[in-house]
Amino acid sequence: MSNKMHLKVFRGDNSGGELRDYQVEVDEGMVVLDVVHRLQATQAPDLSCRWNCKAGKCGSCSAEVNGKPRLMCMMRMDLFKPDEIITIQPLQAFPIVRDLVTDVSWNFEVNKKIPPFKPKPKNPDGTWRMMQYEVDRVQEFRKCLECYLCQNVCHVLRNHGKHDVFFGPRFMVRLAGLEMHPLDDADRVKLMREAAGIGYCNITKCCTEVCPEDIRITDNAIIPLKERVADRYYDPLAMLFRAIRGKNR
Amino acid sequence: MTNYATHDTDVLVIGAGGAGLRAAIESAAQGMKTAVVMKTLLGKAHTVMAEGGAAAALATVDPRDSWKTHFRDTMKGGKMMNDVRMAEIHAKEAPDRILELEEWGAVFDRTPDGRILQRNFGGHTYPRLAHVGDRTGLEMIRTLQDKLVHMPAEIFMETTVTHLFKTGGRVTGALAYSRDKGEFHLFRAKAIVICTGGLGKAYTITSNSWEYTGDGHSLAWEIGADLMDMEFLQFHPTGMVWPLSVRGTLVTEGVRGDGGVLKNNKGERFLFNYIPEAFKNDVAASEEEAVQWVREVVAGKQATVRRPPELLTRDVVARAILNEVREGRGSPHGGVFLDIATQRKAEDIKRKLPSMYHQFVKLANVDITKEAMEVGPTAHYIMGGVKVHPETAMSTIPGLFAAGEASAGLNGANRLGGNSLSDLLVFGRRAGLGAAQYVRKNNPAADVNRADVEAAIAHNLSFFERKDAECPYALQREIQDMMGDLVGIMRTEDELTRALNALDKFEARAKKVSVSGGRVYNPGWHVAMDLRHIVQISRSIALAARERKESRGGHARSDFPNYDPKLAKVNLLIKKAEGRMQVVQQPRTEMPPELKTLVEEA
Amino acid sequence: MAFTTPAMRHRLGETTRRDGWWINPAAMALTFLVFVVYAAWAAIQSKYYTYGPPGAEHYTYISPFYSPPFQEYFPKVAAFKFFPAFWVVWLPIAFRLTCYYGRKAYYRSIMLSPSACSVGKGAGRGYNGESALPWILNNLHRYFLYLIVVLVIFHWFHFFQAFNFDGRFGMGVGSLVIAADTILLSLYVASCHSVRHLIGGSVDCFSCARAGEARLKAWEGVSWLNQYHNLFFWASLITVGFADLYIRLCAMSIWTDVRFF
């Protein structure tokens, strides 16, 4: 079983480009990435595309398919009607290197700014103990593949280019994973308010909508962090309480 | 002449999977100027695909476990072909390496008393795999990555090494190109650590992605380093078989560790018919016993009966599946059925194997909590690799080190699941340390010969000079298909000879492919440059496979189906002599008596 | 390291999405519009907000817009007599405006920031989100939470009142309308993100915190409810408007309350 499908694929770089039309043979069970590979092998050997595991585990093949940010390796072709035109574009929140490949190096620079895990002292028996019920929450954040679909769809970065003042949802998830770690002893609340720019997020949840790992980024990571920032900076009662308790100690 | 950027460094690490990252961390911690180059982005290497867990005798679940049992299991799984000292070091150091990860922020699944939880896996006597659901590799690589970015190491992403350089018998540097700009980079390095992983892309059906073209093996051999055990290639028994586009994608052994059973199209648990003599005493004799084992383990108890045959070592299970399919008892798409739906509750499956659930729903339209999966063998892991010194991880070329899948020794003829993640940590660290000590002790000059660099660049650019010659993608596919046909799970003398002849022709053709377009992120050009490595490592596998006239672990010959006691005493080395590849038998050293008793106790 | 992203060149509404991405924000905007117009009218009216059986000494139903009735409790304070609803409704409005879900709803539907995911905004770098005035004030959500808990208590008082027909236990359709409103408002408040934080979300190590086990259980419960916070937001918005409308229609004798017993 196979049939020809009509694709429009972005060809070009950061200075501009076009959506070029292709007709590609599609077999049963294929995903969008397979079709891109078939294009490379048959019609466009120099079509640039980043990929790796092809099983939704590495988060390399991020792109926008019909305007929706997706991992191409996890998007089956039978989701489309046989006569549907499929548009494949690179991510739109980063400079385009070529065709479907974008320069995501900014993300790696952001990660360096986050203070690493700092463990509390070990127990007297030489172990660290954590209960499954208290690591469940952190493990959700650690599922992140770093596909940067959330960074791509976040309007703060995408539409307003606030890359120098806002870390983006991926790194709010990273911060949450560290801040809520039962054994972590570092304090990143000031960083969250200042360098990470958590205030730029207006919790409109596009990041959550596109997450391929179904991490509830907004509800479970960003909002709880906003609450922690509010505890420290926007809650006069809590500040007063802390001041009194601090003196008593 | 083409421009290139030059970088001077003490230690250059090639590859940023678990081994590369761990090596770089150690090298940087030793105060070495360290650079890491990787073919992909940081954190995307195949370590993220590792699902089941990292084997280490932490004994948190079953206190009877110890390094000794782990050592014995590793040797037995490797059919006694392992480097004994490496197996010993690995078993002893793995627990510390895992606990160290926890110190760096890794969050493993927990026991009820708050320690690291361990799961059962094929070939391991006790529950031994520290894990995080079925995404352990991701947890490991992220932990190491986040550790490394806070260390003084330079990171070069999407940068591929195409040539190593040697001056005066020592390794002195490497030439690489960056994918995003197509520029060349010369690294002048006092020591180089190869952590390039495997070579699954020599096969059509593989769990490996595009980057696993055996670069490290091939580069090391090119400058004269010995390779070892190249005939031992692990076919993972359970890869997806349908749809075709995902054929080969891994289905974790964790499915079987958590109770999944293998059935043929008659509904029989056929593995009971394939239990090798050596494992008769370790494996359940009846379905009732196997079911009871699962019941006890699921309940968190220590098993009182023997484990199901599904947890036999991977070589045995892969061959059994192949045989069922050949004899007409396979599933509709040429595999067998892996069924966990009838063994465990839906909610348990989703909790313990979330990414498997996800993978099958998304890619195959199969709900594994309700239906069986169709699975079959897939090229997965090369036990062989660069021959290294067990303590320092240095190859036979001074200054050249190797760790992880690219190195040989730990796994012998067959790797136990879970041993590779701990291998990465144990020998990644040792390689980083070894390289640092080598640099400190010898302070060698990294004096790369300029003419060598220019010749290497000219070679890389030669593919643009021809127009309308052969397409690299088509040739790559042809080589892969040939390897699957002639150097697959079951091998014969005749087929291996034919494979070697075919490889000679492929070598000539690989030099003459042409690519169109420019140097910026041009995948056709990248494939063209990788072809050389695929041909060379394929030849090393075929040569060694033809030399080993017996069946053992990840090497099976239908013309020599049994063990040959004489061959048990040798490892096969792949050497370079006058530019040609040669296979040489190397006698094994006797096992020290105290370790020998450990192995024989069982 | 600021750079211009491809999407920064997109005009407002420009997208390659082919689905009806505009339906959701449009529906939300329309709902808000209808509610605001109706609520303003109902609050300004300052009459027809209670209803009881004819001849009864005390009313049975009171519109949630007018609960608590300060003018009734403090008859000597003249200020409470003018637009009594104004003394009440500012609080739920403030609570909803600063609500983590409410924010999403109006940022998307009213401010088009963004209207939908991967849809162009036609805007440049001039965006401060909640890092500057006025939206930084949304951080005060928890204060409105503390106050609205008081309001919810009054709602429960009027919930019981709604079954008191001149001293006799009874039930009319209006009782059910008020009950629905009270329950949904309570669920909306209980599922609030700030509640989730205060009750346990701020704890990292439940096994070492004081009352950790209880806080864990409470946090798990609120977390469960919190998944449906958006649902409760809309449901309680609709029921509060409907409760006012129902009582108003009865009070204006346009509609007759049906008594079950």
Side-chain angles (χ1 to χ4, degrees):
Chain A
M1 188 214 91
S2 77
N3 64 301
K4 283 225 161 172
M5 290 191 78
H6 184 176
L7 262 70
K8 283 178 177 294
V9 182
F10 179 84
R11 300 301 307 266
D13 55 32
N14 214 34
S15 58
E18 51 162 5
L19 288 172
R20 205 171 292 167
D21 292 272
Y22 295 96
Q23 298 285 331
V24 195
E25 201 76 34
V26 175
D27 300 326
E28 189 184 348
M30 270 188 159
V31 294
V32 174
L33 184 60
D34 292 317
V35 175
V36 171
H37 284 159
R38 184 161 281 182
L39 259 182
Q40 285 180 332
T42 56
Q43 302 173 44
D46 62 338
L47 168 64
S48 307
C49 157
R50 185 183 275 138
W51 69 284
N52 206 338
C53 79
K54 208 176 167 297
K57 291 195 172 71
C58 77
S60 298
C61 60
S62 307
E64 298 198 355
V65 183
N66 284 353
K68 298 231 175 146
R70 297 292 294 262
L71 294 180
M72 288 190 282
C73 69
M74 296 304 275
M75 194 171 195
R76 286 165 63 101
M77 290 300 290
D78 54 18
L79 289 170
F80 304 103
K81 292 189 236 29
D83 55 347
E84 198 171 339
I85 300 171
I86 300 158
T87 309
I88 309 176
Q89 289 173 294
L91 300 182
Q92 302 287 304
F94 302 107
I96 298 169
V97 173
R98 197 164 160 268
D99 303 340
L100 301 178
V101 177
T102 49
D103 176 4
V104 292
S105 55
W106 169 80
N107 293 288
F108 294 92
E109 295 306 313
V110 171
N111 193 28
K112 289 183 191 163
K113 297 180 193 161
I114 297 176
F117 175 68
K118 184 176 157 221
K120 290 178 186 169
K122 284 184 181 176
N123 292 331
D125 66 351
T127 64
W128 279 291
R129 305 262 172 160
M130 294 186 274
M131 296 300 153
Q132 187 61 43
Y133 58 76
E134 52 193 2
V135 301
D136 280 341
R137 178 162 60 152
V138 178
Q139 285 185 336
E140 177 186 8
F141 306 135
R142 298 188 65 91
K143 289 195 299 190
C144 172
L145 309 175
E146 298 200 326
C147 65
Y148 304 127
L149 289 179
C150 56
Q151 304 288 74
N152 170 61
V153 82
C154 174
H155 69 128
V156 182
L157 302 172
R158 179 188 179 96
N159 302 100
H160 301 294
K162 292 285 183 185
H163 297 75
D164 46 359
V165 289
F166 180 53
F167 281 8
R170 156 55 189 139
F171 296 101
M172 296 300 153
V173 167
R174 167 105 185 98
L175 281 163
L178 287 164
E179 280 295 291
M180 299 178 195
H181 193 302
L183 295 179
D184 178 68
D185 219 7
D187 182 347
R188 300 171 190 80
V189 176
K190 185 166 185 281
L191 174 98
M192 292 191 295
R193 175 162 173 261
E194 292 167 8
I198 197 169
Y200 283 92
C201 168
N202 72 346
I203 51 174
T204 35
K205 286 197 177 176
C206 284
C207 51
T208 307
E209 281 183 29
V210 301
C211 180
E213 282 291 296
D214 299 319
I215 301 172
R216 295 180 59 221
I217 302 175
T218 318
D219 286 318
N220 290 353
I222 301 181
I223 293 174
L225 293 184
K226 276 186 173 251
E227 283 290 306
R228 287 172 186 227
V229 171
D231 269 349
R232 177 86 50 93
Y233 295 101
Y234 303 111
D235 188 340
L237 269 184
M239 288 169 176
L240 189 71
F241 182 66
R242 270 199 304 274
I244 294 167
R245 206 171 57 166
K247 262 180 212 151
N248 286 351
R249 264 186 202 166
Chain B
M1 102 122 267
T2 313
N3 285 331
Y4 56 85
T6 304
H7 311 272
D8 289 299
T9 183
D10 292 330
V11 177
L12 172 70
V13 179
I14 307 174
L21 291 172
R22 189 63 189 82
I25 290 169
E26 195 62 25
S27 160
Q30 293 293 322
M32 291 293 126
K33 187 163 189 254
T34 305
V36 195
V37 298
M38 59 206 79
K39 276 172 108 169
T40 53
L41 297 174
L42 187 58
K44 308 295 184 198
H46 241 35
T47 303
V48 299
M49 295 285 287
E51 291 154 348
L58 292 161
T60 56
V61 172
D62 195 323
R64 292 172 291 182
D65 201 11
S66 71
W67 76 264
K68 292 173 180 166
T69 335
H70 192 182
F71 169 77
R72 189 178 67 209
D73 289 345
T74 302
M75 290 299 298
K76 245 177 119 179
K79 321 295 171 204
M80 301 302 186
M81 295 306 287
N82 322 49
D83 181 303
V84 176
R85 179 66 185 141
M86 281 178 89
E88 182 189 356
I89 291 174
H90 171 254
K92 281 181 174 164
E93 292 184 3
D96 284 345
R97 296 286 82 75
I98 295 293
L99 293 171
E100 181 177 74
L101 282 186
E102 196 168 55
E103 199 169 329
W104 296 345
V107 184
F108 292 101
D109 285 352
R110 317 306 297 178
T111 59
D113 64 347
R115 294 185 296 162
I116 294 174
L117 182 64
Q118 300 188 276
R119 70 151 53 110
N120 283 292
F121 232 56
H124 293 281
T125 307
Y126 300 113
R128 189 178 283 145
L129 270 68
H131 64 278
V132 186
D134 54 4
R135 53 163 194 84
T136 316
L138 174 67
E139 184 71 21
M140 269 184 54
I141 205 162
R142 206 61 86 224
T143 305
L144 292 170
Q145 166 189 347
D146 289 334
K147 174 78 180 170
L148 183 67
V149 298
H150 292 291
M151 300 189 84
E154 266 192 290
I155 291 166
F156 296 85
M157 295 194 281
E158 301 199 308
T159 302
T160 307
V161 172
T162 63
H163 295 81
L164 293 184
F165 303 116
K166 198 171 70 165
T167 313
R170 286 175 287 109
V171 74
T172 47
L175 178 77
Y177 66 89
S178 64
R179 293 170 85 80
D180 61 345
K181 297 203 174 65
E183 290 165 348
F184 290 108
H185 294 262
L186 171 65
F187 292 88
R188 290 192 297 215
K190 295 172 183 169
I192 293 181
V193 186
I194 290 181
C195 300
T196 51
L199 42 73
K201 267 296 165 204
Y203 292 83
T204 318
I205 300 172
T206 174
S207 62
N208 293 189
S209 82
W210 65 268
E211 58 171 338
Y212 297 92
T213 47
D215 302 13
H217 298 77
S218 165
L219 291 166
W221 174 80
E222 280 181 343
I223 62 162
D226 291 348
L227 308 182
M228 189 172 83
D229 293 341
M230 292 303 287
E231 70 277 28
F232 296 126
L233 178 70
Q234 182 168 79
F235 286 83
H236 195 289
T238 59
M240 292 175 79
V241 298
W242 186 256
L244 272 183
S245 71
V246 293
R247 190 160 194 146
T249 299
L250 200 64
V251 179
T252 176
E253 190 165 322
V255 175
R256 284 170 284 144
D258 282 326
V261 298
L262 287 164
K263 291 177 183 166
N264 59 22
N265 66 13
K266 297 189 161 61
E268 299 159 349
R269 285 180 71 172
F270 57 87
L271 272 168
F272 283 103
N273 308 329
Y274 293 89
I275 302 169
E277 213 33 62
F279 290 93
K280 274 257 150 49
N281 297 329
D282 304 339
V283 178
S286 66
E287 283 200 34
E288 292 70 41
E289 188 175 354
V291 168
Q292 191 186 338
W293 183 89
V294 172
R295 203 181 299 132
E296 289 177 354
V297 166
V298 169
K301 291 186 205 139
Q302 284 182 15
T304 60
V305 293
R306 292 169 299 181
R307 55 189 34 225
E310 277 80 6
L311 291 175
L312 280 162
T313 54
R314 289 176 177 177
D315 51 331
V316 176
V317 181
R319 279 198 300 275
I321 293 174
L322 188 72
N323 199 52
E324 287 297 304
V325 175
R326 285 199 175 161
E327 292 179 2
R329 293 187 295 275
S331 68
H333 299 104
V336 293
F337 296 104
L338 173 59
D339 174 20
I340 191 163
T342 58
Q343 307 295 313
R344 298 289 299 267
K345 285 198 290 263
E347 71 217 53
D348 289 348
I349 297 170
K350 284 187 194 168
R351 190 170 52 82
K352 295 302 284 184
L353 303 161
S355 76
M356 278 305 107
Y357 173 74
H358 194 73
Q359 181 175 320
F360 272 88
V361 167
K362 284 266 167 87
L363 296 175
N365 240 339
V366 167
D367 180 348
I368 66 166
T369 66
K370 298 198 178 78
E371 304 161 70
M373 298 161 249
E374 271 190 80
V375 295
T378 174
H380 182 53
Y381 187 94
I382 179 84
M383 273 66 77
V386 180
K387 179 178 166 24
V388 292
H389 188 276
E391 311 283 342
T392 63
M394 189 159 86
S395 71
T396 51
I397 297 291
L400 184 68
F401 296 76
E405 191 175 352
S407 66
L410 169 64
N411 299 304
N414 174 60
R415 177 177 69 86
L416 294 186
N419 268 2
S420 80
L421 286 186
S422 40
D423 171 19
L424 304 177
L425 299 171
V426 170
F427 292 102
R429 174 182 156 276
R430 278 187 171 258
L433 188 64
Q437 284 168 345
Y438 166 84
V439 170
R440 206 175 288 136
K441 192 168 154 210
N442 303 298
N443 195 25
D447 44 356
V448 179
N449 187 340
R450 208 182 164 83
D452 290 349
V453 180
E454 282 168 20
I457 291 178
H459 170 267
N460 290 341
L461 292 178
S462 68
F463 301 104
F464 288 109
E465 286 157 14
R466 286 173 293 274
K467 291 279 164 266
D468 303 320
E470 199 170 3
C471 162
Y473 292 101
L475 180 56
Q476 185 190 34
R477 181 63 193 240
E478 227 180 292
I479 302 173
Q480 292 167 337
D481 287 345
M482 183 282 290
M483 286 298 284
D485 289 344
L486 303 181
V487 196
I489 300 180
M490 295 304 287
R491 303 158 177 177
T492 66
E493 188 82 16
D494 172 51
E495 286 178 344
L496 292 166
T497 303
R498 274 163 54 206
L500 286 164
N501 292 336
L503 284 166
D504 289 341
K505 296 199 184 82
F506 285 134
E507 181 165 35
R509 284 166 64 189
K511 285 182 184 146
K512 285 193 218 125
V513 296
S514 73
V515 296
S516 58
R519 275 158 61 182
V520 173
Y521 225 108
N522 185 339
W525 182 38
H526 306 151
V527 170
M529 285 186 281
D530 287 343
L531 285 174
R532 175 176 115 241
H533 301 310
I534 295 190
V535 170
Q536 279 170 182
I537 50 100
S538 295
R539 181 179 288 133
S540 70
I541 298 170
L543 264 182
R546 195 171 60 171
E547 181 75 8
R548 187 171 283 280
K549 295 180 184 2
E550 65 163 349
S551 292
R552 184 183 291 273
H555 168 67
R557 293 274 300 253
S558 45
D559 44 357
F560 298 97
N562 302 314
Y563 281 175
D564 179 340
K566 282 201 300 294
L567 287 168
K569 295 198 167 68
V570 294
N571 288 98
L572 299 182
L573 295 187
I574 298 288
K575 287 180 169 289
K576 190 178 185 185
E578 284 143 27
R580 308 234 358 126
M581 201 174 266
Q582 251 187 4
V583 57
V584 175
Q585 296 196 358
Q586 153 129 337
R588 291 175 55 79
T589 43
E590 268 300 297
M591 202 184 298
E594 71 274 15
L595 295 178
K596 205 166 184 174
T597 43
L598 276 185
V599 175
E600 282 163 1
E601 261 170 20
Chain C
M1 198 171 114
F3 44 79
T4 303
T5 70
M8 286 171 76
R9 294 190 281 264
H10 296 173
R11 295 179 313 276
L12 180 66
E14 182 179 339
T15 181
T16 43
R17 278 179 72 165
R18 295 222 181 81
D19 54 349
W21 56 267
W22 49 272
I23 294 172
N24 201 291
M28 290 197 292
L30 189 70
T31 313
F32 278 135
L33 185 73
V34 169
F35 183 83
V36 166
V37 169
Y38 174 79
W41 173 73
I44 289 168
Q45 227 189 12
S46 301
K47 52 184 177 181
Y48 304 127
Y49 55 82
T50 59
Y51 173 77
E57 212 168 283
H58 196 267
Y59 58 82
T60 301
Y61 307 150
I62 180 168
S63 158
F65 288 3
Y66 291 79
S67 159
F70 292 112
Q71 73 287 8
E72 196 179 299
Y73 302 154
F74 306 100
K76 288 193 185 131
V77 183
F80 289 139
K81 289 199 178 101
F82 301 100
F83 301 119
F86 282 29
W87 299 98
V88 175
V89 294
W90 68 271
L91 176 58
I93 288 173
F95 183 72
R96 282 174 188 272
L97 278 178
T98 59
C99 160
Y100 283 99
Y101 173 75
R103 276 138 83 174
K104 175 199 168 187
Y106 64 80
Y107 287 138
R108 280 207 186 190
S109 63
I110 313 282
M111 318 219 359
L112 309 183
S113 183
S115 49
C117 307
S118 62
V119 171
K121 284 183 81 175
R125 293 188 198 274
Y127 166 91
N128 288 314
E130 302 188 334
S131 67
L133 285 169
W135 307 112
I136 197 171
L137 294 176
N138 278 334
N139 282 304
L140 298 176
H141 187 49
R142 60 179 64 176
Y143 281 91
F144 299 119
L145 167 70
Y146 302 148
L147 292 173
I148 208 157
V149 169
V150 179
L151 191 94
V152 171
I153 293 169
F154 276 98
H155 273 238
W156 279 98
F157 176 73
H158 291 122
F159 165 92
F160 291 111
Q161 179 72 39
F163 293 90
N164 176 358
F165 288 84
D166 212 12
R168 282 200 357 262
F169 178 69
M171 186 165 81
V173 171
S175 317
L176 296 181
V177 170
I178 286 177
D181 177 46
T182 308
I183 290 164
L184 283 166
L185 177 74
S186 305
L187 285 170
Y188 170 52
V189 171
S191 63
C192 162
H193 291 85
S194 289
V195 172
R196 187 178 178 216
H197 171 74
L198 295 165
I199 213 157
S202 58
V203 178
D204 296 334
C205 180
F206 287 106
S207 59
C208 27
R210 209 183 309 158
E213 206 164 320
R215 295 191 76 180
L216 173 73
K217 289 274 169 285
W219 175 75
E220 284 173 347
V222 175
S223 295
W224 184 83
L225 278 180
N226 179 261
Q227 299 175 71
Y228 308 102
H229 195 49
N230 57 339
L231 199 77
F232 296 139
F233 176 92
W234 291 111
S236 65
L237 190 76
I238 290 163
T239 52
V240 77
F242 184 75
D244 179 89
L245 177 70
Y246 185 86
I247 293 158
R248 194 165 299 281
L249 291 176
C250 293
M252 292 166 87
S253 305
I254 297 171
W255 183 261
T256 314
D257 185 40
V258 179
R259 282 282 295 278
F260 300 114
F261 53 86

